[in-house]
Amino acid sequence: MFVTMNRIPVKPEYAERFEEVFRTRARLVDRMPGFVRNLVLRPNNPEDPYIVLTFWESEEAFRAWTESPEFREGHARSGTLPKEAFRGPNRLETFQVVQDTEVQDG
């Protein structure tokens, strides 16, 4: 599994609007081949960045998403917040899953 982590430094006064953009997102990524799930994490410390995690079956599936018309359309909405909503540039990091444990029912 391939995971992307996007650190987005949002100014506290724009946090609610930032979260609304994700709540009302187009959901185009959800239908992409190889997409597994998406998590948006709100920092407990408002000075820390939001974290957006996206899980993919493979790096190839992620790269196909970033080169798709759906990617361009989905990210066009990210420009709905003014530049001053952010404390700096976002930082995208990528990872390969080495271990994944999860509590099983039963």
Side-chain angles (χ1 to χ4, degrees), residues 60-104:
E60 293 75 24
F62 168 72
R63 298 285 173 217
W65 155 245
T66 64
E67 296 169 3
S68 71
E70 292 87 353
F71 177 86
R72 287 185 291 283
E73 181 181 342
H75 283 77
R77 295 194 62 230
S78 65
T80 59
L81 289 178
K83 188 175 184 175
E84 62 268 12
F86 304 97
R87 293 190 323 268
N90 67 305
R91 178 176 168 196
L92 182 67
E93 300 173 23
T94 60
F95 304 88
Q96 296 288 338
V97 174
V98 175
Q99 180 179 355
D100 181 2
T101 60
E102 168 179 354
V103 174
Q104 300 296 319

Side-chain angles (χ1 to χ4, degrees), residues 12-91:
E13 60 269 28
Y14 286 94
E16 190 173 312
R17 286 176 60 192
F18 177 80
E19 291 178 21
E20 183 64 19
V21 167
F22 275 94
R23 276 194 292 277
T24 61
R25 67 189 177 86
R27 298 192 174 283
L28 298 173
V29 68
D30 300 17
R31 298 187 293 268
M32 293 300 294
F35 173 79
V36 176
R37 79 190 277 204
N38 177 263
L39 294 172
V40 179
L41 307 178
R42 177 192 306 132
N44 285 332
N45 177 351
E47 296 303 314
D48 289 340
Y50 275 80
I51 304 293
V52 179
L53 296 171
T54 309
F55 297 78
W56 296 89
E57 291 175 0
S58 68
E59 184 173 357
E60 293 75 24
F62 168 72
R63 298 285 173 217
W65 155 245
T66 64
E67 296 169 3
S68 71
E70 292 87 353
F71 177 86
R72 287 185 291 283
E73 181 181 342
H75 283 77
R77 295 194 62 230
S78 65
T80 59
L81 289 178
K83 188 175 184 175
E84 62 268 12
F86 304 97
R87 293 190 323 268
N90 67 305
R91 178 176 168 196

